[in-house]
Amino acid sequence: MKELLIKNGFVYDPLNKIDGETMDIAVRDGKIVEEVKKGKTIDASGMVVMPGGVDIHSHIAGAKVNSGRLLRPEDHYKDVELKTVLTRSGVGYSIPSTFTTGYRYSRMGWTTVMEPAMPPLKAKHTHEELNDTPMVDKGAYPLLGSNWFVLEYLRAKMYGECAAFVAWMMNATKGYAIKLVNPGGLEAWGFGRNVRDIDDPVPNFDITPREIIQGLCKVNQILNLPHTIHVHINNLGKPGNYVTTLETMRCVENLATDNKPIMHLTHCQFSAFAGEDWRTFKSASEEIAEYVNSHSHVTLDMGQIVFTNTTTMTADGPFQFTLYQITGNKWVNNDVETETSSGIVPFQYKRKNYVHATQWTIGLELALQIKDPWKILLTTDHPNAGPFTAYPKVITWLMSRKARDDVMKKVNKKTRRKAPLSAIDREYSLYEIAIATRAGQAKALGLESKGHLGVGADADISVYNLDPKKTNLADNPEAITKAFKKAAYTIKDGEIVVRDGEVVNSVNGRTYWVKVETQANLFEIEPELKRAFEKYYTVKYENYLVPQNFSAHQTPVTAKARIKS
Amino acid sequence: MTLVKNVTCPICGTLCDDLEVEVEENSIVDVRNACAIGEAKFLNFTDPKHRNLKPLVRKGGELTEVSLDEAVERSAQILAHAQYPILYGWSCTSCQAIRVGIELAEEVGGVIDNTSTVCHGPSILSIQSVGIPTCTLGQVRHRADLVVYWASDPYSAHPRHIERYTSFSDGRFQESEWEHYVTRLRGVLGKKRLSRASARISMREVSIPPIADPKLPPEFETEKRKLIVVDVRKTRSAEIADFFIQVEPNRDFELLQALRLLVKDEELEVDKVAGVPVDLLEEFADILISCNFGIFFFGVGLTMSSGKHRNIDAAIALTKDLNYRTKFAIMPMRGHFNVAGANIVSTWQTGYPFAVDFSHGYPRYNPGETSAVDILQRDESDASLIIASDPVSNFPRNAAQNLVKNPMITIDPVVSPTTMMADVVIPSAFVGIEVEGTAYRMDCVPLPMKKIVEPPKICLPDEEILRRILLQVRQIRQTGGKA
């Protein structure tokens, strides 16, 4: 029996409505309990105690991430991690090697991270990497928005069958949530084309993105998956795309029941562009915020820009090709049969560039104008808008107008003149930060034992050396950044793994996947489907599956499907 | 008798996963669906003439049989006391073994390099400088109406590549050209027969017809799927192809750059480029532009001929240019069955695909400096561990000399010049036949390798051997060199 007591910290636990009260948190055998008698004590007086950080969207593992690593030795040379007795060596910066990724998240107090784009055909690759990512719990979302089976089922309006297929897919790839990237557009990209908007039919398939989004949303409801559908919109990264964003949110409006979110719209900053071209480009954060404030069926995450040299990587092949055309940088494209595509382009976000600076304001405007912090979560779409190691900075910008103004002084003049951000006074409280980085993320993911410190929760806890009683945080942005950069303690499953920003104990962390309980295995019922499968793919059905316990620490989460068969 | 289905073949980067293997009393009696190379391996791998079956340690100049523990112990001693060891090979083993190998290299502060350093290394350097538009092989099966093999001969080296993934495979949007090929072959054979018969009737010697100026055949006007081969000689693959373009040796770079100009609607002011008439090149450029989905497959003929990674730069740049006009992809034809996996595992653990140097305590990568051949040529390393490869036969002479001069550990199921020259030989089991694991196909699709039969007792999996060595190395280092 391993016990631990965290004494006298200022506890921020929004799911249990605890807002900075001085409390003790007791831990036994990796879980939070009412009280403990003996065991180790951490004196957290004058410190902030929060649930361990959760990241709903961060590209940390898999085929695409690894191609990015291979593509950019210049990204690694400048940022290395030495081997220690406890830890493996590695490299950064924007696409860190797997071990380094785990350590760096943990040093900031994060304990759960989700890889949001797993090509199902290469699921084993993603899982092998997740297995080598220590310190954090993980999960991965299979890409299903351009999968041939899905498109064919949805075209025929066979939602039940589609649900059975997706359930099989979750089991086969050990996936966690349904991911849609430029729905339908990636199939079109197979022949170098794209879809224009959510009503532009997918070539050769006679189905529109709207039908795909609605269909998978229904499927998600049938399957009762813990997370909603996770959507990267059509037209991402194009001026004027906020219209598509609004359309995408609207198209599932009437599927919502009892005010619950049914769609997660990811890295929304890239989807809130107004204007007709890059010259007339401007922020559409107000339009998006207005819609989100008056509806409760969507959650968003920010995709906040950081001014740095980073690596853009998405499954959105056509978008990455556009970035290649704009920048002329090196470009990787990798289309995956029957399923998806992907692209990678290194990218430098510059303060003095009007578009980049405006993008920086859009992310913050969304977070500050959407009133309910449960609806917009903090991400940088690592590494697309910036590496996750910039989270302390983003937290600081949200908490301190002074910090934002300091950046504003340095950015492009036109942005400074035009951006609505200049007029926004709102500053996040620590309670709201705890929502945006932990509670809200865990809630959106349906991870019931994460994101809070109630009895029975996983003992994933972070302690930050920050005293909100003594310092006025908004006026001391450096104090915020400093505290969040190096957690005083990170506790994973009841073990102290980080102390003063240094790893003191290397642990593995689980990989969550959703085991959907359906009545039977779809492919066993229908041998015809198995034949179709082997026609569509160049690998055998049996060799496609990620076996149970393929990697160590796989942990199934069950979902009870409502499929009638 | 049992039939094991869906077996992945542990030979080349094509990684066919549809083999069926018949097993009787722990021995393989028949293999179906495999190519001649694959079949030969499955049926003959147990041949004791070629197999390492004893752990050996060199004592007094002679390789002497020892216990496995002693061989492991000796290996650990060599590595733990070396200043700058090289850990080389990796392309014919599983990703699980490679993971441990990297941990070992990090522990001993050595260099870990894989066979891509002497194979598709230049392709990787090129990807690092310009990127790569590529795809998985299924995209080619379903969509490609133009397939170009450049400086690679799949018919001989990747025998089932054409049948499984390209011109002779049936896809959703493209049909197999197999029947057309057979018809054409019949036509050619018929013609030959006729001319022989007429020669016999007219009692005249048939002279070999003069080689006409290469011209595109008339069926190129049609919509059908096309297969083109570009090479320095008429290979077996070229004989299957709809068209063959012969490039002068070491002049691929010129040809590729000329095509780039043509694709960008520039004009060439010469008659021939690299031995190919410009008229023909113009037509070739038109074919490249007007396909719906095209792909270049390139082989070592491009990476290891004059120009090296510059050739690949040009080929990738051409592919990128073509993407402004249509959809085009490019893919290296990887050789060993898991050479792609060796690059992939190395990249996720260290950030770099090959030639990773841990001597500073963190991963460092500078091919030319940290690559195995270059280190050996400069004679900087003082020990080596060679696994699943045969550098003594393949490396440049002075590199091989410097390699065998210092203590060398080999882990290999088969006897090779390298194992014969080694100081420690540890027999291991065959991945994909006697041990399971993961391997990556040339398009980076992970596939499971199966265990079909039990290995001989003394032959452990590579992964386990490496773990034992790693454990011992750690013990030696903790006790300060006194084991």
Side-chain angles (χ1 to χ4, degrees):
Chain A
M1 215 162 50
K2 227 171 168 180
E3 296 186 340
L4 182 70
L5 187 68
I6 304 159
K7 274 179 86 85
N8 292 328
F10 301 113
V11 176
Y12 292 87
D13 179 9
L15 277 164
N16 294 309
K17 305 216 163 41
I18 296 167
D19 183 7
E21 286 169 40
T22 307
M23 287 172 65
D24 296 350
I25 302 287
V27 174
R28 184 181 306 123
D29 294 336
K31 293 278 177 192
I32 294 185
V33 291
E34 288 284 359
E35 53 172 14
V36 287
K37 300 211 170 62
K38 43 187 193 317
K40 212 175 162 146
T41 308
I42 292 175
D43 179 16
S45 45
M47 296 193 199
V48 164
V49 178
M50 287 186 183
V54 180
D55 198 335
I56 198 166
H57 190 108
S58 171
H59 300 270
I60 55 166
K64 163 178 52 48
V65 178
N66 213 36
S67 304
R69 289 189 192 107
L70 182 141
L71 181 71
R72 301 205 65 194
E74 76 278 12
D75 182 72
H76 311 321
Y77 289 143
K78 60 189 178 192
D79 183 13
V80 297
E81 292 267 347
L82 280 157
K83 170 185 157 50
T84 70
V85 182
L86 281 173
T87 61
R88 300 282 303 269
S89 66
V91 293
Y93 160 76
S94 67
I95 341 150
S97 53
T98 52
F99 305 115
T100 301
T101 301
Y103 304 142
R104 289 190 176 176
Y105 260 112
S106 196
R107 283 179 196 150
M108 301 193 309
W110 260 250
T111 50
T112 306
V113 184
M114 292 288 174
E115 157 59 48
M118 168 167 74
L121 179 61
K122 297 181 177 180
K124 288 193 196 75
H125 184 168
T126 308
H127 285 289
E128 286 198 315
E129 284 195 24
L130 289 179
N131 197 27
D132 267 351
T133 309
M135 314 300 281
V136 288
D137 288 343
K138 297 136 292 200
Y141 314 154
L143 291 152
L144 297 172
S146 289
N147 183 294
W148 286 0
F149 286 100
V150 170
L151 299 188
E152 283 163 355
Y153 282 128
L154 293 181
R155 178 175 57 194
K157 310 221 176 304
M158 294 158 73
Y159 300 110
E161 285 82 350
C162 189
F165 174 76
V166 172
W168 169 83
M169 201 51 135
M170 291 296 158
N171 292 345
T173 63
K174 304 291 174 277
Y176 188 82
I178 299 174
K179 175 75 185 291
L180 292 88
V181 172
N182 187 359
L186 304 190
E187 164 49 38
W189 180 241
F191 283 118
R193 281 173 276 173
N194 198 356
V195 290
R196 282 189 310 276
D197 54 54
I198 74 165
D199 291 311
D200 186 18
V202 181
N204 302 317
F205 280 84
D206 191 28
I207 184 172
T208 60
R210 178 189 297 273
E211 290 163 326
I212 302 171
I213 300 164
Q214 289 173 336
L216 282 174
C217 192
K218 282 179 199 162
V219 164
N220 204 76
Q221 288 176 318
I222 296 172
L223 295 179
N224 231 341
L225 300 183
H227 185 31
T228 59
I229 52 170
H230 196 98
V231 185
H232 159 137
I233 64 152
N234 303 106
N235 283 331
L236 184 120
K238 283 189 198 151
N241 66 6
Y242 81 96
V243 181
T244 311
T245 310
L246 291 175
E247 285 283 300
T248 305
M249 291 191 281
R250 269 187 209 122
C251 86
V252 293
E253 228 174 78
N254 52 10
L255 295 175
T257 47
D258 49 308
N259 281 335
K260 268 198 194 143
I262 52 168
M263 175 191 271
H264 181 82
L265 217 142
T266 191
H267 39 71
C268 191
Q269 172 271 128
F270 290 109
S271 316
F273 296 176
E276 268 146 36
D277 50 33
W278 294 114
R279 199 175 46 82
T280 56
F281 171 86
K282 62 181 194 223
S283 164
S285 59
E286 281 164 345
E287 288 84 345
I288 302 286
E290 194 189 341
Y291 181 88
V292 175
N293 280 334
S294 58
H295 293 82
S296 53
H297 68 286
V298 281
T299 53
L300 316 178
D301 66 80
M302 290 166 73
Q304 175 59 36
I305 293 282
V306 185
F307 297 112
T308 186
N309 185 304
T310 190
T311 313
T312 64
M313 52 173 71
T314 73
D316 196 343
F319 164 63
Q320 295 290 149
F321 182 61
T322 313
L323 276 186
Y324 158 61
Q325 287 176 305
I326 293 173
T327 60
N329 284 349
K330 48 192 180 183
W331 166 56
V332 169
N333 180 76
N334 197 345
D335 296 347
V336 179
E337 65 207 53
T338 319
E339 293 173 347
T340 177
S341 69
S342 71
I344 306 162
V345 178
F347 203 89
Q348 171 82 46
Y349 291 107
K350 301 173 189 137
R351 282 185 192 82
K352 298 296 180 200
N353 178 305
Y354 168 62
V355 173
H356 303 174
T358 305
Q359 281 185 276
W360 177 80
T361 67
I362 294 174
L364 292 170
E365 285 161 16
L366 284 166
L368 295 164
Q369 289 175 330
I370 292 171
K371 288 175 191 140
D372 182 357
W374 295 94
K375 284 186 186 166
I376 180 142
L377 311 170
L378 189 151
T379 66
T380 58
D381 185 16
H382 165 80
N384 282 298
F388 65 83
T389 40
Y391 286 175
K393 249 191 223 171
V394 181
I395 292 172
T396 312
W397 290 331
L398 289 175
M399 290 187 70
S400 159
R401 161 132 207 190
K402 180 168 177 266
R404 296 200 293 267
D405 288 345
D406 285 348
V407 179
M408 238 357 187
K409 273 180 218 150
K410 294 182 213 153
V411 304
N412 179 286
K413 271 187 200 156
K414 191 170 151 199
T415 303
R416 222 181 303 163
R417 217 170 46 238
K418 287 183 135 182
L421 183 65
S422 315
I424 301 174
D425 282 325
R426 182 175 163 198
E427 286 169 340
Y428 269 51
S429 64
L430 278 170
Y431 186 74
E432 286 172 316
I433 289 294
I435 297 170
T437 56
R438 289 134 159 98
Q441 308 239 7
K443 192 179 168 201
L445 284 168
L447 284 170
E448 284 166 4
S449 60
K450 304 277 178 200
H452 70 105
L453 299 173
V455 170
D458 289 350
D460 294 353
I461 306 163
S462 25
V463 181
Y464 296 108
N465 202 345
L466 197 63
D467 191 337
K469 295 262 157 66
K470 275 192 192 147
T471 14
N472 182 340
L473 297 180
D475 294 338
N476 289 293
E478 303 81 16
I480 308 173
T481 315
K482 198 177 157 211
F484 280 97
K485 239 184 199 163
K486 289 185 167 189
Y489 293 93
T490 305
I491 291 144
K492 178 88 196 66
D493 293 312
E495 306 260 358
I496 299 172
V497 291
V498 165
R499 191 179 297 139
D500 296 327
E502 291 307 324
V503 176
V504 292
N505 185 2
S506 184
V507 295
N508 280 313
R510 310 171 193 88
T511 301
Y512 289 111
W513 63 281
V514 177
K515 186 173 188 169
V516 187
E517 291 185 345
T518 54
Q519 276 157 352
N521 182 340
L522 180 72
F523 280 84
E524 272 159 24
I525 321 168
E526 290 188 49
E528 218 161 277
L529 204 57
K530 211 162 165 175
R531 273 198 291 280
F533 182 93
E534 293 190 348
K535 218 171 158 186
Y536 283 1
Y537 288 99
T538 51
V539 302
K540 286 284 185 184
Y541 168 78
E542 186 193 308
N543 293 335
Y544 182 88
L545 310 174
V546 178
Q548 204 92 13
N549 301 323
F550 173 72
S551 60
H553 320 293
Q554 272 177 2
T555 310
V557 177
T558 40
K560 283 215 169 24
R562 293 175 301 218
I563 306 181
K564 296 168 256 115
S565 78
Chain B
M1 186 152 35
T2 43
L3 184 67
V4 189
K5 286 189 172 181
N6 305 327
V7 174
T8 311
C9 175
I11 294 284
C12 76
T14 311
L15 225 57
C16 307
D17 71 333
D18 60 343
L19 271 54
E20 296 183 355
V21 180
E22 259 180 45
V23 182
E24 211 176 283
E25 287 170 15
N26 202 39
S27 86
I28 292 172
V29 291
D30 196 14
V31 187
R32 283 175 221 147
N33 294 343
C35 67
I37 314 173
E39 190 174 311
K41 179 161 181 180
F42 275 103
L43 295 180
N44 301 310
F45 75 98
T46 48
D47 188 344
K49 271 198 302 234
H50 306 303
R51 182 105 202 226
N52 283 322
L53 287 165
K54 294 170 199 154
L56 305 170
V57 167
R58 196 170 290 277
K59 289 178 180 170
E62 285 291 313
L63 279 171
T64 321
E65 186 178 349
V66 294
S67 69
L68 186 61
D69 287 342
E70 190 181 334
V72 168
E73 164 75 33
R74 179 85 193 100
S75 306
Q77 289 289 358
I78 292 173
L79 289 174
H81 297 294
Q83 296 297 314
Y84 195 45
I86 290 179
L87 290 79
Y88 177 81
W90 309 106
S91 303
C92 285
T93 186
S94 68
C95 293
Q96 286 75 4
I98 300 165
R99 285 180 67 217
V100 186
I102 297 170
E103 200 171 348
L104 180 61
E106 188 190 51
E107 183 67 41
V108 299
V111 168
I112 185 159
D113 200 359
N114 55 60
T115 58
S116 54
T117 199
V118 290
C119 171
H120 271 286
S123 311
I124 292 169
L125 296 184
S126 186
I127 292 168
Q128 289 173 335
S129 58
V130 294
I132 187 170
T134 186
C135 60
T136 64
L137 290 164
Q139 287 292 89
V140 182
R141 175 194 283 184
H142 291 301
R143 296 175 205 263
D145 55 349
L146 174 64
V147 177
V148 183
Y149 287 100
W150 195 304
S152 102
D153 181 11
Y155 191 96
S156 311
H158 299 80
R160 296 185 68 210
H161 196 267
I162 300 174
E163 152 207 338
R164 274 175 64 78
Y165 309 121
T166 69
S167 306
F168 295 166
S169 69
D170 250 323
R172 184 177 188 127
F173 306 110
Q174 287 295 328
E175 282 176 8
S176 166
E177 283 301 321
W178 173 249
E179 279 173 23
H180 285 116
Y181 167 66
V182 173
T183 319
R184 205 174 64 219
L185 197 67
R186 280 212 192 102
V188 172
L189 289 176
K191 247 187 219 162
K192 271 189 190 165
R193 241 178 253 135
L194 269 180
S195 70
R196 267 205 305 272
S198 74
R200 212 170 279 166
I201 292 164
S202 62
M203 302 291 281
R204 256 188 313 120
E205 277 294 305
V206 184
S207 59
I208 300 158
I211 299 168
D213 250 2
K215 241 193 300 185
L216 288 176
E219 67 259 29
F220 263 68
E221 298 299 315
T222 62
E223 295 268 297
K224 74 181 207 65
R225 203 172 198 176
K226 300 172 187 72
L227 173 62
I228 295 178
V229 168
V230 184
D231 214 324
V232 292
R233 69 183 77 82
K234 191 155 191 178
T235 57
R236 298 298 292 274
S237 309
E239 282 170 17
I240 310 178
D242 296 303
F243 195 65
F244 168 58
I245 295 172
Q246 189 161 10
V247 53
E248 286 172 7
N250 289 326
R251 297 185 67 185
D252 300 85
F253 181 81
E254 284 167 57
L255 195 63
L256 287 161
Q257 293 292 32
L259 280 170
R260 285 190 73 193
L261 282 170
L262 291 173
V263 164
K264 291 188 168 175
D265 298 328
E266 301 284 337
E267 279 179 23
L268 298 177
E269 290 165 353
V270 288
D271 297 331
K272 278 190 169 189
V273 176
V276 185
V278 166
D279 288 351
L280 181 69
L281 269 187
E282 282 171 350
E283 285 191 70
F284 187 24
D286 280 340
I287 294 169
L288 294 176
I289 294 167
S290 52
C291 71
N292 290 321
F293 184 115
I295 178 139
F296 290 120
F297 289 102
F298 64 95
V300 183
L302 210 53
T303 64
M304 284 295 155
S305 61
S306 179
K308 289 208 162 184
H309 66 280
R310 295 296 176 209
N311 295 337
I312 319 300
D313 283 357
I316 295 176
L318 172 62
T319 317
K320 286 165 84 172
D321 293 345
L322 281 164
N323 271 286
Y324 283 87
R325 312 290 291 267
T326 179
K327 180 83 181 179
F328 226 97
I330 182 166
M331 194 187 298
M333 295 286 279
R334 306 306 299 266
H336 296 302
F337 74 87
N338 198 23
V339 62
N343 295 141
I344 286 171
V345 180
S346 179
T347 306
W348 89 54
Q349 290 211 346
T350 71
Y352 307 115
F354 65 106
V356 184
D357 179 340
F358 284 104
S359 62
H360 291 222
Y362 60 86
R364 232 166 48 86
Y365 167 76
N366 189 17
E369 182 204 339
T370 61
S371 33
V373 174
D374 302 275
I375 293 169
L376 288 169
Q377 285 191 324
R378 294 192 307 266
D379 196 12
E380 287 175 352
S381 76
D382 57 351
S384 62
L385 180 147
I386 310 294
I387 179 164
S389 80
D390 184 15
V392 169
S393 329
N394 297 317
F395 274 9
R397 188 192 161 108
N398 57 342
Q401 267 170 349
N402 289 335
L403 179 70
V404 300
K405 189 172 80 180
N406 292 311
M408 176 164 74
I409 306 150
T410 56
I411 302 174
D412 211 314
V414 289
V415 180
S416 69
T418 307
T419 61
M420 291 176 197
M421 302 291 285
D423 296 283
V424 182
V425 180
I426 303 180
S428 66
F430 278 101
V431 173
I433 303 179
E434 297 169 333
V435 187
E436 56 180 21
T438 314
Y440 285 76
R441 202 164 70 181
M442 61 170 70
D443 57 350
C444 302
V445 170
L447 281 162
M449 309 301 293
K450 277 211 171 81
K451 176 176 179 169
I452 301 161
V453 292
E454 284 294 329
K457 270 232 167 68
I458 195 75
C459 299
L460 297 181
D462 294 326
E463 186 188 357
E464 179 160 1
I465 297 168
L466 290 162
R467 261 195 210 293
R468 287 193 186 189
I469 298 176
L470 177 62
L471 206 72
Q472 294 248 346
V473 166
R474 288 207 170 125
Q475 275 169 6
I476 295 169
R477 303 189 114 208
Q478 269 161 18
T479 52
K482 294 182 287 294

